[in-house]
Amino acid sequence: MTEYADRVRVAEAAARAGADVAAGGFRTGIAIEEKGQKTDVVTQADRDAQRAVIEHIRQEFPDDAIVGEEDDELKAVPESGPVWVIDPIDGTNNYVRDIPVWVTSVAAVVDGEPVAAANAMPALGDYYTAGPDGAFLNGNELAVSEKTDLDRFVICPTIWWDYDRRDEYSRACEVIVERFGDMRRFGCAQAVLGMVAAGSLEATITNVEVNPWDTVAGVYLVRQAGGTVTDLEGERWTHESQGLVASNGTRHDAVLEAAQEIEQIRTA
């Protein structure tokens, strides 16, 4: 799999380049814009960081497609060919509140499958990478949690439930505290997926539609660290799936059942 070594290297370098730009605006009182909803915000740092990521990728892969959250980049992953999936600041709501849990995310995808990923968290000094040889945090190889006791599981409900779907959000929290040991929420899907890969969390669940820039890199991290990621039907997760269930794999069936309970409210 050495054919993807260059993409692993470029993913990490591009994520670091974008993260450096974003870090320059962190905790500086940067202006905030709303993209449509009061909780969907963007800053100039998002745009500047995305440009820095793209410029870095284009130096070595000038013809590859790019899927990105901001500006006029593609919003869906092509079925074939090489593509880069980027999020300049995943967790912008944390970013503008001076909370250091945010990520500059870059993933390389070939024919619909991730082959490299990098999630940079400069405010915490954490840099996640993944390639064919595994997943790493600050150069140290990652492995998912080995816990099997559901009473010891810590699970995060992730992605945003809109205001008209708060009953699903409430149910997500309810099923987690009913079925598992504890719950966390961080407001940054890529950070959460990194935590599952690192064994800090046993799982994360959502039933909502997910964007590729919020998920692809982190899903690859989890899988390369030995975890399991499926859709709500228990089928292998892809960038076109609805919902996302990522776990350490030891009790994925129980985690999946919890996610399905959330979805039952939507379809009732």
Side-chain angles (χ1 to χ4, degrees):
M1 301 295 285
T2 55
E3 62 184 299
Y4 298 129
D6 284 345
R7 293 183 183 274
V8 175
R9 175 178 54 79
V10 170
E12 180 177 9
R16 285 178 175 268
D20 286 346
V21 171
F26 184 53
R27 292 179 174 168
T28 63
I30 194 168
I32 305 168
E33 305 167 40
E34 294 178 2
K35 291 198 278 188
Q37 296 186 7
K38 294 178 181 179
T39 55
D40 190 7
V41 298
V42 67
T43 71
Q44 189 59 43
D46 292 83
R47 302 186 186 99
D48 292 344
Q50 180 159 298
R51 277 194 291 272
V53 171
I54 292 172
E55 287 172 4
H56 209 95
I57 292 169
R58 289 284 184 234
Q59 290 175 10
E60 299 199 43
F61 297 96
D63 300 321
D64 286 4
I66 292 180
V67 173
E69 181 173 12
E70 310 303 339
D71 298 331
D72 296 326
E73 304 304 328
L74 296 175
K75 303 305 176 188
V77 178
E79 290 301 317
S80 62
V83 60
W84 297 83
V85 183
I86 63 178
D87 192 338
I89 302 177
D90 183 38
T92 303
N93 265 301
N94 286 344
Y95 181 89
V96 301
R97 289 175 176 271
D98 297 343
I99 298 170
V101 183
W102 52 271
V103 170
T104 298
S105 179
V106 180
V109 176
V110 176
D111 296 334
E113 284 292 325
V115 298
N119 279 346
M121 302 182 71
L124 296 176
D126 285 341
Y127 296 87
Y128 294 83
T129 59
D133 295 331
F136 303 86
L137 172 57
N138 299 330
N140 298 311
E141 190 166 9
L142 294 179
V144 295
S145 162
E146 296 181 351
K147 289 184 174 64
T148 60
D149 183 351
L150 298 182
D151 288 341
R152 298 183 183 277
F153 270 40
V154 177
I155 296 184
C156 177
T158 195
I159 310 296
W160 182 246
W161 284 267
D162 282 336
Y163 289 102
D164 61 350
R165 300 180 67 173
R166 289 307 173 89
D167 55 344
E168 297 168 54
Y169 190 179
S170 297
R171 187 57 181 148
C173 297
E174 186 178 9
V175 296
I176 289 172
V177 299
E178 285 178 346
R179 293 168 175 254
F180 307 102
D182 205 349
M183 184 183 82
R184 301 286 189 276
R185 180 166 168 80
F186 295 94
C188 177
Q190 293 285 11
V192 167
L193 288 163
M195 292 176 198
V196 175
S200 302
L201 298 172
E202 276 64 58
T204 182
I205 60 175
T206 191
N207 69 313
V208 302
E209 301 77 11
V210 297
N211 295 312
W213 47 83
D214 292 327
T215 51
V216 171
V219 165
Y220 189 57
L221 280 166
V222 173
R223 286 178 173 155
Q224 294 306 96
T228 301
V229 191
T230 71
D231 64 13
L232 294 173
E233 301 300 321
E235 300 297 324
R236 187 175 188 274
W237 187 90
T238 75
H239 58 83
E240 295 180 328
S241 296
Q242 179 187 342
L244 186 150
V245 184
S247 81
N248 64 356
T250 65
R251 298 295 304 277
H252 192 80
D253 54 343
V255 177
L256 180 61
E257 286 178 5
Q260 290 170 341
E261 279 203 30
I262 310 167
E263 180 65 2
Q264 287 170 9
I265 291 179
R266 188 183 72 85
T267 58

